[in-house]
Amino acid sequence: MMDFFYSFDYDDHIAMDDHTICPMVFNAKAYAAADFYDVQHLKTLATRKFKTATENDWNNAPSLFAKAIAVVYETTPESDRTLRDIVFDITTKNLGKLLDCSEFQDVLADHGDFGLEIIKVSPLQSNGYKCSGCQFKFI
């Protein structure tokens, strides 16, 4: 992250020890740090990198996307829609697939404000929901 202050950019593909940090989560945390320290250019860069990472990687790693959602909702106030709108848009477009991910279900359970936002615009409101586990249909 210190690279940003010298080059106005940073690498969001970081390897530490035996694992790589997820760019979706890293960029969400970079945004939170930029907001805390009021570094607007870093917030803008983190937003752009977060959007790119989530659009490219949510489908390959829905559990990490769920973790990124949790970070966004834990580190941004309700009034800051920047990253929230990004995850909201991806989620509403891909809700059926994401509901099959247990980590995503945990985010819905743990972050009621996010779940409520999704339910308000979800087509499931009028069409019902069929449980993928027991096939019971809620109308």
Side-chain angles (χ1 to χ4, degrees):
M1 191 62 88
M2 283 301 291
D3 289 345
F4 169 78
F5 293 102
Y6 294 102
S7 65
F8 299 106
D9 197 5
Y10 65 87
D11 184 6
D12 59 355
H13 292 79
I14 308 277
M16 295 185 72
D17 298 327
D18 295 337
H19 67 282
T20 302
I21 297 174
C22 169
M24 292 182 283
V25 173
F26 185 84
N27 290 310
K29 289 182 178 185
Y31 181 91
D35 183 54
F36 182 81
Y37 291 107
D38 195 26
V39 182
Q40 292 303 314
H41 183 72
L42 180 55
K43 275 179 74 171
T44 302
L45 180 62
T47 299
R48 188 174 71 240
K49 288 181 176 256
F50 180 79
K51 183 173 174 54
T52 299
T54 54
E55 287 175 347
N56 293 336
D57 297 339
W58 78 266
N59 193 30
N60 299 326
S63 62
L64 293 174
F65 178 65
K67 185 173 181 176
I69 294 170
V71 169
V72 167
Y73 276 79
E74 290 165 4
T75 62
T76 61
E78 190 175 326
S79 61
D80 185 345
R81 298 295 314 169
T82 306
L83 299 187
R84 289 177 178 224
D85 285 344
I86 293 168
V87 296
F88 177 81
D89 289 343
I90 292 170
T91 299
T92 55
K93 291 176 186 169
N94 304 286
L95 187 57
K97 182 169 184 174
L98 288 168
L99 283 172
D100 291 335
C101 173
S102 63
E103 291 86 354
F104 180 78
Q105 293 173 16
D106 292 342
V107 168
L108 289 174
D110 295 341
H111 299 279
D113 48 345
F114 173 67
L116 183 59
E117 287 178 35
I118 298 303
I119 288 171
K120 284 182 178 179
V121 299
S122 173
L124 298 177
Q125 279 186 314
S126 59
N127 298 335
Y129 171 71
K130 184 176 175 184
C131 176
S132 60
C134 68
Q135 304 304 313
F136 181 77
K137 185 168 183 170
F138 300 90
I139 298 181

